[in-house]
Amino acid sequence: MKQLTNITVLLMVLSIPFAVSQTRKAIPAGRYEALSGIKISHSQKSSENSLSKDTLSLIGAEIAKNLPTGQVEKTYFSSGSFESSFLSLLTSKGVQETKTNEGHVTIVLSDDLIRDTSLIKSIQKKGSLLMLKEKHPLKFILTSLDQFEVILYQSEAEIHYYLLKRK
């Protein structure tokens, strides 16, 4: 009888760490960003489908940090509809608009990945930036654009904003 009690107690003691290890702990805020290098943020749902001031300032700051430094002329080409406040932010950072994409453009702005596939493939300069406004989630973008690395991912109601850098 004493052996049966000892075996039961032993099994109970050995099962405690297993039971405790089954609980999953949440990743602390900021830890995922630190481990992956991708900044992820979600803003509150807004009634309009436009860039909020927080999103605008976040994207503007990241563009300013990641602009190629060796170039004298910094230009952007827009193939979609973006807010004028965002475009004026780019010009305040010293980036000028160009009407044609001749391959020497520093930043390409696009609001449709499928429509602008050939335009995106024409980005050959290392360090060039791609600002993408898309309805597709991050997984689809990463598989489609493997020659780019994600610098910033901003998710709003149904629109996702990506800042990508050419590897």
Side-chain angles (χ1 to χ4, degrees), residues 18-109:
F18 179 74
V20 172
S21 70
Q22 294 300 309
T23 60
R24 294 183 64 188
K25 295 181 182 177
I27 297 174
R31 184 70 177 154
Y32 178 76
E33 290 180 8
L35 293 174
S36 68
I38 299 173
K39 293 185 179 181
I40 298 178
S41 62
H42 301 277
S43 65
Q44 292 81 15
K45 292 184 179 180
S46 61
S47 60
E48 55 203 56
N49 233 358
S50 64
L51 286 170
S52 66
K53 287 185 180 183
D54 293 337
T55 303
L56 182 66
S57 63
L58 181 65
I59 292 172
E62 286 298 317
I63 286 176
K65 279 197 288 188
N66 291 295
L67 279 173
T69 56
Q71 273 182 282
V72 176
E73 182 182 349
K74 295 176 175 76
T75 58
Y76 73 88
F77 176 74
S78 179
S79 70
S81 61
F82 287 88
E83 285 188 7
S84 61
S85 59
F86 179 69
L87 300 178
S88 64
L89 177 72
L90 284 179
T91 55
S92 71
K93 301 284 183 193
V95 183
Q96 300 300 318
E97 182 178 11
T98 182
K99 298 295 180 191
T100 61
N101 181 24
E102 299 171 359
H104 65 276
V105 177
T106 310
I107 303 171
V108 174
L109 306 174

Side-chain angles (χ1 to χ4, degrees), residues 139-152:
K139 186 184 285 187
F140 177 78
I141 298 298
L142 289 177
T143 57
S144 300
L145 301 173
D146 57 349
Q147 70 271 20
F148 288 91
E149 63 180 317
V150 178
I151 299 201
L152 178 77

